[in-house]
Amino acid sequence: QSPLKEGTLFKIAASHFLKKDYQAARESFNLLINTYPSGEYTALSRYFIAESYRFAKQLKEASFSYGQLISKDPNAPIAANAAFKLGWGTYLQQNYSGAADAFQKFIDLHPFHPWTPQAYLLMGNCYRTMGRSEDAVIAYQQTFDRAPKTELAESAMTLLNRTRYLQGNYGQLSSG
């Protein structure tokens, strides 16, 4: 327990985070969570714990922490970002099946989030790496459809055509 107010604890923890003292930041955020389990800053504290692991390149711990936020505070506004970053962290760990599943859950729960096109692109990469070319093509097409006339769409089109080419579907190549 701490005699400090929740906002004060959050400012202290955030200060450690900004100074890149991630261990001290996690300790302070955990103190806040334990002192104010239903507080205004609890979900955001869980998010910053996960972020501190991510910035420290501890991807397994980051993924676990994003998952904790999603399970304990699923309706918090920051939970959508955590869901995407859970997929991203899993992708960086080269667990492509797990990443594809995480991205699909993110898309299902947050179909209009600004990061949804990126989730489709990364999910397509997962599928392509796993040899699921047809699923990759669908994911790349979704990226293109959801973010037309963007650099992301150009990347999706390139990957879509490369996947179709490798499948031998030369007649189905597309242009933006």
Side-chain angles (χ1 to χ4, degrees):
Q1 293 293 331
S2 172
L4 298 175
K5 292 184 178 181
E6 183 184 14
T8 302
L9 282 174
F10 185 82
K11 287 178 186 175
I12 292 168
S15 174
H16 290 302
F17 183 87
L18 291 172
K19 292 176 186 172
K20 300 181 181 179
D21 185 353
Y22 299 126
Q23 182 62 38
R26 284 191 294 273
E27 290 170 6
S28 296
F29 285 126
N30 276 318
L31 177 61
L32 184 152
I33 291 166
N34 292 331
T35 305
Y36 300 97
S38 300
E40 179 181 353
Y41 295 98
T42 302
L44 194 55
S45 294
R46 286 190 176 101
Y47 183 78
F48 276 109
I49 289 170
E51 288 286 272
S52 74
Y53 283 122
R54 183 174 69 88
F55 285 122
K57 308 247 187 286
Q58 296 174 277
L59 297 177
K60 286 183 183 180
E61 293 84 353
S63 294
F64 177 78
S65 296
Y66 289 128
Q68 278 197 315
L69 166 59
I70 295 162
S71 68
K72 292 184 181 199
D73 298 297
N75 298 318
I78 201 72
N81 290 20
F84 177 86
K85 289 185 177 184
L86 173 61
W88 177 244
T90 307
Y91 179 85
L92 291 176
Q93 294 173 68
Q94 300 179 351
N95 176 353
Y96 300 115
S97 177
D101 290 344
F103 286 128
Q104 186 63 61
K105 286 178 188 172
F106 167 78
I107 291 164
D108 291 345
L109 292 172
H110 311 285
F112 303 107
H113 191 281
W115 295 347
T116 297
Q118 183 72 31
Y120 275 113
L121 182 81
L122 292 167
M123 190 167 60
N125 290 348
C126 292
Y127 289 144
R128 187 170 50 92
T129 301
M130 293 187 303
R132 293 173 54 185
S133 297
E134 291 301 321
D135 292 327
V137 166
I138 292 167
Y140 293 143
Q141 186 64 54
Q142 284 292 324
T143 304
F144 186 80
D145 291 346
R146 289 173 179 261
K149 299 180 183 174
T150 64
E151 286 184 33
L152 190 62
E154 290 177 27
S155 296
M157 188 58 62
T158 299
L159 292 165
L160 176 67
N161 283 330
R162 183 179 303 153
T163 303
R164 285 181 172 161
Y165 179 80
L166 293 172
Q167 289 176 311
N169 293 333
Y170 311 114
Q172 295 181 9
L173 299 182
S174 304
S175 65

